[in-house]
Amino acid sequence: MSLFLIVALPFLGALLPGLMNSAGRQACAGITFVVSLSAFIGLLTNAPAVLAGEVVTVGVDWLPILGLNFNLMLDGLGFFFALLILGIGLLIIAYARFYLSRDDNMGEFFTYLLLFQGAMVGIVLSDNILLLLVFWELTSLSSFLLIGYWKHLPEGRQGARMALTVTGMGGLAMIGGMLILGQIAGSYDLSVILQNRELIQESPLYLPALLLILLGCFTKSAQFPFHFWLPHAMAAPTPVSAYLHSATMVKAGIFLMARMWPVLSGTPEWIAIVTTAGLITMVLGAVIALFKHDLKALLAFSTVSHLGLITMLLGTSTAFGAMAAMFHILNHATFKAALFMSAGIVDHETHTRDIRKLGGLRHLMPITFVIATLGALSMAGIPLLNGFLSKEMMLEEVYRTELFGSVWLVPGLAVLGSLFSAAYCFRLIAHTFLGPKRDDYPATPHDPGAGLWMPPAILVVLVVVIGVAPFVAEPFIKTVTASVLGGVVDVPKAYFKIWHGLVPALYMSVIATVGGLIVLAIFNPLLKGWDAAPRPEAKVIFEGLVEAIVALSQRLVRPLHDGSFTRYSLFAAVAIVGAGIYAWMTGTVGEATRTMQPAGIVPIAGWLMLVAAAIAMVFLHRNRLLALILMGICGLMVSVGFVYFSAPDLAMTQFTVEAVTIILLLLALNFLPNRSPIESSAFQRSRDIAVAVVGGLSTFALTYHYLLRDAVQPTISAFHVENSYKGGGGTNMVNVILVDFRGFDTYGEIIVLGIAALLIYALTESLLGGPVRARLLNRKPDQPRAGDMHPMMMVVLTRVMMPIVMLVGFYIFLRGHNEPGGGFIAGLVVSIGVVMQYMASGFNWTTARLRYPYHGVIGAGVLIAGLTGIGSWFVSKPFLTSDFTYVRIPPFNEFELATAAFFDLGVFLAVVGAVMLALESLSRLARRQQMPDAEHPMDIDPSREDIPSSMTAKGEL
């Protein structure tokens, strides 16, 4: 299966759980499982090539000018992590089906899960660091949704915000590091970067790049001092915790360190920073985990500790350390996912995770006891389980590792961390499952159905199989290690086996295990000392730091951003004019190369009308209706100016925009006083006039001097003239620019336009759903209203105009690629025609005949435009690259077919939907309680015998 499809399947599948939600929990979980299973099977189809040492690559140019290419690479390392993400993901989906309650929205949960899964798969398969960064940030966003899934829990919301803040800040730092790395290597493709070890490490920018990248990795993988966010993420549902802690998000930083190992490792800076951070995290996480009473909190800090162990192994910069790290990633994923799911079972059945309220569960939950005990013993490093093997390899590596000139520092701290690790594992078993049965459990404990215990049981089987027969995993781990090493050094020839003889690692392991038992025996005195000892609380420090930053930001921002647009525009105008005057006084201006052309009577008259309207606007703007009329005059004169300067596209756009805008503003004036109050002093008005005059004169001077001289640099218009027809298939350069050369800008603009319309709709809904609704409906007009609100002449005229307007709009749309017109103008023209129906027959009568909601029209437009752009990928062209051809269908003449027409259709629909949704929203606000809804298109119709009640009440008939 193509790597593109493997990455795309979870994202595409994320659309399905929400659609299947109404079909039931089984269908919702089933479709999610099928999506992940399909991606998993697709991954396995590439296994023969990967296990043979090959690297599977695919790629298309996305934004080649920026170096952002959609390149994917599947080697041993990527295959390993993708296997964990998708394989454990399948078990998590099955487990979540039975764990989540009926009150939980399963469709929402699985949608978030698939988005997160797709982002993680994208990270491990990316062959472009910019693409990797895109997926990296997607994991932060989707994990935020997963951690905060239980929105009713304050700790869930807090944990989600903390995770997003910490990992988001690290992600920003990593963006900088990756950009530096790409600049050093001369490419943003990983396959190129990984071949330039010497170039990167000899660069003076190596250290800044290293620090920024490690900052991103440490925040993602909860390394000291950023370890505090991960335990607070345990507020998420247990399936999320099991997935994040075992195979996905927290392993993203580990993956990136392993991926960058060939080019970043081996330097004194790497060894000192990575090894030290890993060691501190390993020991600190293990010590804190021992004294946690919440099962998930204990496991969360144990994850922090084991991530530190893996980080330390990568920091040693040896081939054996890298191999031990890869082996422990596999082992940790199996026993940690099983343990989290076991903790979820205990919580699910006993309604508590507090170890102090548990104990004796082996008698009541024997299946869960076996699963959890085997997982915990593996985590403690007990023989015949897989955790023992990787722990032994870790101890063997640290025994010969020297740090800061000491040969005992790393081995001593590693043994200490292993000792506390064994201690909290033994405590988990003893205090949760051993001991006598209790009679005060919050709920009656019992083993759940197979739906809950089967997924962790499958993982525990792997724990035992690898522990008893490590040779099963050896070839695969060595293949993965070869990808990590990248040819810098050879893969170690060490064999995976249970007994290595009486070696130092064995003695260190015995010390850690026996020490763990001793610590458990004296746990109660240690707990009293721990509770009594003063210690910093990371969460309190983090929240205090956030509050301090917010307070400082408010002190800086509030004096500058006080909500006064006049103040903002004043500062902006003064700054721009000041910069312009400085440039004028210190720069040079060349001799004029052109002469002034004579101005005719008509242009001068139009200019005088425009100036008169603008000046009148200054003095009469407090009358809002008059100001709107004057603004319309200014817009109309600008349109005439466009016509005079041979810019018909701009003229048509300006004219139609003016028409629509005037109508919308007239509706908005319904809710405003007739006159604007005087809010500024005489001094402020004088100051504003002075700034405006200086700004206007400066703009005039700049324009005047620019028009009399040739451009300093060649203009881009020559490129458009040359390539408009050849590249875009159209002779109307304005339209070709909009739908081809700058189609991405246009795509963004219609999205923004749609969002603006949706926001207007949302504000309207909030107003109509709140206390303001009564005031809006019961307000009384300040002047008498016409009894004939929907006159017959206007209704007839608009009905006659409607097909004509539609035909004109259709004609303007079709001719836009070669003549003035296009989707934007056509959309505005059609909108005007529809608006006239609302004006003639009223909101209710027109809305009742609406077949398609305007929300859907906006969505359809954006979707059509986006799919048109995506279509170019299938012919290996960048997004939104258009194509065209000429066809002849008898009896018609030859005509052009261009893919840009589909994009223009999307623009057309988005414009129509946005304009009409905004109009409809304001129209709903304009309704009044005392005015009945119109039942007919016109109030007075000679063919009807009924008489409008509003007119009989006035005695007019």
Side-chain angles (χ1 to χ4, degrees):
M1 181 184 290
S2 169
L3 300 185
F4 287 136
L5 188 56
I6 295 172
V7 173
L9 273 173
F11 289 110
L12 297 175
L15 301 171
L16 301 177
L19 298 176
M20 299 297 293
N21 209 18
S22 58
R25 298 163 59 84
Q26 197 70 29
C28 189
I31 194 65
T32 307
F33 189 88
V34 169
V35 170
S36 290
L37 181 62
S38 301
F40 183 74
I41 294 173
L43 180 69
L44 293 180
T45 59
N46 295 280
V50 174
L51 295 179
E54 300 177 16
V55 178
V56 181
T57 59
V58 294
V60 296
D61 292 339
W62 186 4
L63 295 172
I65 194 172
L66 299 179
L68 176 54
N69 301 316
F70 207 104
N71 294 345
L72 301 177
M73 171 179 67
L74 183 65
D75 60 353
L77 180 62
F79 180 82
F80 175 41
F81 274 85
L83 196 68
L84 292 178
I85 294 164
L86 296 172
I88 294 182
L90 288 171
L91 299 178
I92 294 297
I93 292 168
Y95 177 84
R97 158 63 183 88
F98 298 94
Y99 180 86
L100 296 176
S101 70
R102 295 190 177 276
D103 295 331
D104 294 323
N105 189 328
M106 194 167 283
E108 180 183 348
F109 177 83
F110 283 126
T111 294
Y112 297 160
L113 189 72
L114 286 175
L115 288 174
F116 179 72
Q117 185 181 89
M120 280 301 306
V121 173
I123 286 177
V124 302
L125 297 188
S126 293
D127 186 28
N128 183 278
I129 56 176
L130 299 182
L131 179 65
L132 186 148
L133 289 171
V134 173
F135 288 121
W136 188 276
E137 295 305 320
L138 283 176
T139 61
S140 295
L141 294 174
S142 52
S143 64
F144 171 80
L145 298 173
L146 283 172
I147 296 170
Y149 171 73
W150 279 339
K151 307 175 187 65
H152 60 284
L153 298 178
E155 56 269 26
R157 301 193 298 270
Q158 293 171 2
R161 288 197 299 267
M162 185 181 294
L164 182 63
T165 302
V166 176
T167 60
M169 291 175 62
L172 289 175
M174 198 178 75
I175 290 174
M178 289 296 196
L179 292 176
I180 294 173
L181 195 66
Q183 290 297 313
I184 296 172
S187 173
Y188 292 116
D189 289 339
L190 269 170
S191 53
V192 176
I193 292 173
L194 295 178
Q195 303 300 318
N196 288 278
R197 176 184 175 89
E198 291 77 12
L199 177 64
I200 291 172
Q201 295 192 357
E202 292 173 1
S203 170
L205 297 176
Y206 165 77
L207 184 57
L210 175 68
L211 293 175
L212 292 171
I213 292 172
L214 287 181
L215 189 58
C217 294
F218 287 174
T219 53
K220 203 74 158 183
S221 290
Q223 296 301 290
F224 178 84
F226 310 106
H227 60 285
F228 55 87
W229 74 263
L230 183 57
H232 291 285
M234 70 177 183
T238 297
V240 175
S241 301
Y243 201 29
L244 263 63
H245 287 244
S246 64
T248 52
M249 182 172 176
V250 295
K251 296 288 176 61
I254 298 293
F255 165 81
L256 191 58
M257 284 189 281
R259 176 61 81 195
M260 293 298 177
W261 195 94
V263 294
L264 297 182
S265 69
T267 63
E269 296 87 352
W270 170 277
I271 295 172
I273 296 172
V274 179
T275 306
T276 302
L279 267 176
I280 296 174
T281 307
M282 176 185 177
V283 176
L284 185 62
V287 172
I288 298 175
L290 176 64
F291 298 103
K292 288 297 179 181
H293 303 300
D294 187 309
L295 274 175
K296 286 180 67 175
L298 186 153
L299 292 174
F301 276 103
S302 75
T303 299
V304 171
S305 179
H306 282 264
L307 291 172
L309 183 155
I310 298 168
T311 299
M312 177 204 51
L313 287 171
L314 291 172
T316 61
S317 297
T318 66
F320 189 83
M323 184 169 69
M326 295 304 104
F327 193 24
H328 195 68
I329 289 172
L330 172 63
N331 296 336
H332 179 262
T334 53
F335 64 65
K336 185 53 62 71
L339 282 170
F340 261 108
M341 285 191 270
S342 299
I345 292 172
V346 172
D347 184 23
H348 194 269
E349 302 303 326
T350 65
H351 297 178
T352 184
R353 300 194 305 258
D354 193 333
I355 298 177
R356 295 169 295 185
K357 298 179 181 179
L358 299 172
L361 292 182
R362 76 182 189 280
H363 305 288
L364 304 171
M365 305 174 68
I367 298 177
T368 307
F369 165 64
V370 172
I371 295 172
T373 300
L374 290 173
L377 291 177
S378 178
M379 186 163 62
I382 302 303
L384 301 183
L385 299 171
N386 62 356
F388 168 77
L389 300 168
S390 52
K391 187 187 77 170
E392 291 288 292
M393 294 175 68
M394 179 272 294
L395 293 174
E396 181 180 346
E397 172 64 21
V398 300
Y399 179 74
R400 54 176 182 260
T401 298
E402 179 181 332
L403 186 64
F404 303 127
S406 173
V407 296
W408 297 106
L409 179 62
V410 178
L413 290 177
V415 171
L416 182 63
S418 299
L419 185 150
F420 278 98
S421 179
Y424 65 65
C425 293
F426 296 149
R427 184 191 175 213
L428 187 151
I429 298 170
H431 292 184
T432 305
F433 296 99
L434 302 183
K437 289 189 293 185
R438 303 173 59 155
D439 55 4
D440 60 345
Y441 297 113
T444 304
H446 59 85
D447 272 323
L452 281 179
W453 62 257
M454 184 63 73
I458 293 172
L459 292 170
V460 165
V461 169
L462 292 176
V463 167
V464 176
V465 169
I466 297 174
V468 174
F471 56 84
V472 174
E474 180 179 343
F476 178 64
I477 294 299
K478 287 189 173 181
T479 299
V480 175
T481 304
S483 298
V484 174
L485 301 179
V488 175
V489 291
D490 295 332
V491 178
K493 299 186 183 304
Y495 296 102
F496 289 22
K497 55 185 179 180
I498 301 172
W499 178 254
H500 289 271
L502 298 176
V503 295
L506 179 62
Y507 298 126
M508 296 164 70
S509 181
V510 171
I511 292 171
T513 303
V514 174
L517 291 171
I518 294 173
V519 169
L520 179 64
I522 60 173
F523 175 74
N524 289 330
L526 291 175
L527 178 61
K528 291 180 181 179
W530 175 266
D531 291 337
R535 59 187 181 276
E537 180 62 40
K539 180 182 177 183
V540 175
I541 295 174
F542 172 79
E543 291 177 347
L545 182 62
V546 170
E547 290 176 2
I549 293 174
V550 170
L552 177 62
S553 301
Q554 290 175 343
R555 290 183 61 184
L556 294 175
V557 170
R558 282 178 177 173
L560 298 175
H561 296 272
D562 59 352
S564 172
F565 177 76
T566 302
R567 188 175 185 181
Y568 301 158
S569 58
L570 174 66
F571 287 157
V574 170
I576 294 170
V577 171
I581 293 175
Y582 174 80
W584 175 269
M585 295 177 65
T586 58
T588 57
V589 179
E591 294 294 329
T593 58
R594 302 169 187 164
T595 58
M596 286 284 294
Q597 295 181 358
I601 298 298
V602 174
I604 293 176
W607 178 79
L608 290 174
M609 292 177 63
L610 180 61
V611 171
I615 294 175
M617 182 80 171
V618 173
F619 291 98
L620 303 175
H621 71 278
R622 302 203 182 280
N623 185 321
R624 288 191 165 120
L625 180 60
L626 184 57
L628 185 60
I629 295 172
L630 291 171
M631 189 170 65
I633 293 174
C634 291
L636 180 62
M637 294 313 301
V638 171
S639 302
V640 173
F642 287 144
V643 173
Y644 179 76
F645 288 111
S646 302
D649 273 287
L650 297 179
M652 294 171 68
T653 304
Q654 178 71 25
F655 183 80
T656 50
V657 166
E658 284 295 325
V660 172
T661 303
I662 293 297
I663 293 172
L664 291 176
L665 288 177
L666 280 171
L667 280 172
L669 286 182
N670 255 329
F671 313 108
L672 298 173
N674 291 334
R675 298 187 63 84
S676 300
I678 299 176
E679 297 177 343
S680 56
S681 64
F683 170 77
Q684 290 175 322
R685 293 195 296 274
S686 302
R687 177 202 63 192
D688 294 343
I689 290 173
V691 172
V693 170
V694 173
L697 292 175
S698 301
T699 305
F700 164 75
L702 176 65
T703 305
Y704 176 79
H705 282 82
Y706 183 82
L707 292 177
L708 290 180
R709 288 159 178 83
D710 294 330
V712 177
Q713 298 290 336
T715 63
I716 198 173
S717 58
F719 170 82
H720 291 147
V721 171
E722 182 180 351
N723 293 279
S724 177
Y725 180 77
K726 182 172 62 177
T731 57
N732 180 7
M733 284 182 290
V734 174
N735 184 263
V736 174
I737 291 171
L738 291 176
V739 301
D740 191 319
F741 295 137
R742 302 193 63 177
F744 203 82
D745 289 348
T746 305
Y747 186 55
E749 288 163 4
I750 64 172
I751 292 175
V752 171
L753 186 64
I755 292 173
L758 291 173
L759 286 174
I760 294 174
Y761 175 81
L763 288 172
T764 304
E765 286 292 300
S766 64
L767 288 174
L768 293 177
V772 180
R773 181 174 185 273
R775 293 176 57 190
L776 288 171
L777 292 177
N778 292 310
R779 71 188 188 284
K780 299 184 182 301
D782 56 353
Q783 294 181 6
R785 302 287 174 170
D788 188 4
M789 296 183 61
H790 308 299
M792 179 177 64
M793 289 299 296
M794 187 172 184
V795 172
V796 173
L797 182 62
T798 55
R799 296 298 185 275
V800 173
M801 285 177 58
M802 187 63 185
I804 299 174
V805 171
M806 295 295 291
L807 184 62
V808 171
F810 183 64
Y811 171 70
I812 290 175
F813 173 80
L814 290 181
R815 77 197 294 260
H817 210 48
N818 293 290
E819 299 290 341
F824 190 85
I825 299 173
L828 291 172
V829 170
V830 170
S831 297
I832 293 172
V834 179
V835 166
M836 295 300 294
Q837 308 307 309
Y838 279 88
M839 294 176 64
S841 298
F843 171 80
N844 293 288
W845 187 89
T846 308
T847 303
R849 285 147 184 82
L850 182 66
R851 296 187 178 182
Y852 306 104
Y854 295 128
H855 309 72
V857 175
I858 296 173
V862 173
L863 184 63
I864 291 172
L867 291 176
T868 304
I870 292 173
S872 58
W873 291 348
F874 294 96
V875 290
S876 301
K877 295 295 182 67
F879 183 68
L880 280 175
T881 301
S882 64
D883 200 1
F884 64 95
T885 187
Y886 289 88
V887 297
R888 187 178 186 280
I889 302 176
F892 302 105
N893 292 329
E894 185 179 69
F895 60 93
E896 180 186 8
L897 289 178
T899 58
F902 295 103
F903 181 80
D904 226 8
L905 176 62
V907 174
F908 168 81
L909 293 175
V911 169
V912 172
V915 171
M916 297 313 303
L917 183 60
L919 171 78
E920 183 186 56
S921 301
L922 292 173
S923 299
R924 292 170 65 208
L925 287 177
R927 295 177 62 192
R928 291 185 175 84
Q929 188 73 37
Q930 68 271 22
M931 294 185 179
D933 294 341
E935 300 176 3
H936 304 285
M938 60 189 80
D939 291 339
I940 302 175
D941 186 351
S943 65
R944 294 202 320 266
E945 296 181 358
D946 61 313
I947 300 173
S949 57
S950 60
M951 299 191 69
T952 57
K954 294 184 178 183
E956 296 184 14
L957 287 177

